[in-house]
Amino acid sequence: MAGKFGELVPVGGGDPIPLLKDILIIGRRESCDIALRFKNVSSHHCTLFVKHGYWFIRDENSRNGTKANGKRLESEKRLDPGDILSIAKHEYEVSYEPVNLGAVGPPPAEESVVDEILSQSLLERAGIGGRTTRRH
């Protein structure tokens, strides 16, 4: 791997993008750590960061969105080796070794699951929210 922290390999061919530090801003601007000069990429599109030996991605309110394995990000998401990261419509395979980034034991829990649970009311979580009951 070219980058100390891994690399993003363009799906369909192209030069891999080395991940040279543990926090990277991806966007269209030259000032970004990874500059993707495509019109559909926002100026500050998303942020990649290492936590507990794994890469995570967070969309920065981009116009055309960020996806991990085809699913649009609602909050931060862990990226495992081999996952496909889509920035606007541009796809990259995430390539890195968690153990080289300090990972020990199983991968950390996904915060997005916690966020999803906390975003629901108690009635929705119990499976009775959103229903209308009729009285006879």
Side-chain angles (χ1 to χ4, degrees), residues 34-52:
I34 297 175
L36 299 177
R37 294 174 196 86
F38 302 107
K39 288 185 179 185
N40 61 347
V41 173
S42 296
S43 56
H44 289 105
H45 200 95
C46 56
T47 302
L48 271 172
F49 56 97
V50 174
K51 182 164 65 172
H52 306 298

Side-chain angles (χ1 to χ4, degrees), residues 8-41:
L8 297 178
V9 180
V11 173
D15 294 331
I17 301 168
L19 304 174
L20 300 174
K21 54 187 188 174
D22 60 358
I23 299 175
L24 298 161
I25 308 265
I26 300 175
R28 196 178 61 242
R29 291 219 172 127
E30 283 292 323
S31 60
C32 292
D33 299 304
I34 297 175
L36 299 177
R37 294 174 196 86
F38 302 107
K39 288 185 179 185
N40 61 347
V41 173

Side-chain angles (χ1 to χ4, degrees), residues 30-131:
E30 283 292 323
S31 60
C32 292
D33 299 304
I34 297 175
L36 299 177
R37 294 174 196 86
F38 302 107
K39 288 185 179 185
N40 61 347
V41 173
S42 296
S43 56
H44 289 105
H45 200 95
C46 56
T47 302
L48 271 172
F49 56 97
V50 174
K51 182 164 65 172
H52 306 298
Y54 289 83
W55 278 106
F56 281 74
I57 185 79
R58 180 178 54 242
D59 187 77
E60 300 295 347
N61 298 314
S62 65
R63 189 178 70 239
N64 290 311
T66 305
K67 294 179 181 179
N69 297 320
K71 187 175 179 195
R72 192 175 179 110
L73 297 180
E74 300 299 324
S75 61
E76 70 182 41
K77 164 105 175 76
R78 186 182 72 236
L79 294 171
D80 294 324
D83 281 356
I84 301 297
L85 173 62
S86 301
I87 301 167
K89 300 272 185 214
H90 311 281
E91 293 187 326
Y92 302 89
E93 181 180 342
V94 180
S95 177
Y96 71 100
E97 294 292 333
V99 72
N100 293 346
L101 303 183
V104 178
E110 298 265 0
E111 270 93 15
S112 60
V113 172
V114 174
D115 291 342
E116 186 177 312
I117 290 169
L118 294 177
S119 71
Q120 296 176 318
S121 73
L122 288 172
L123 292 174
E124 288 172 323
R125 281 189 269 165
I128 55 177
R131 294 183 188 159

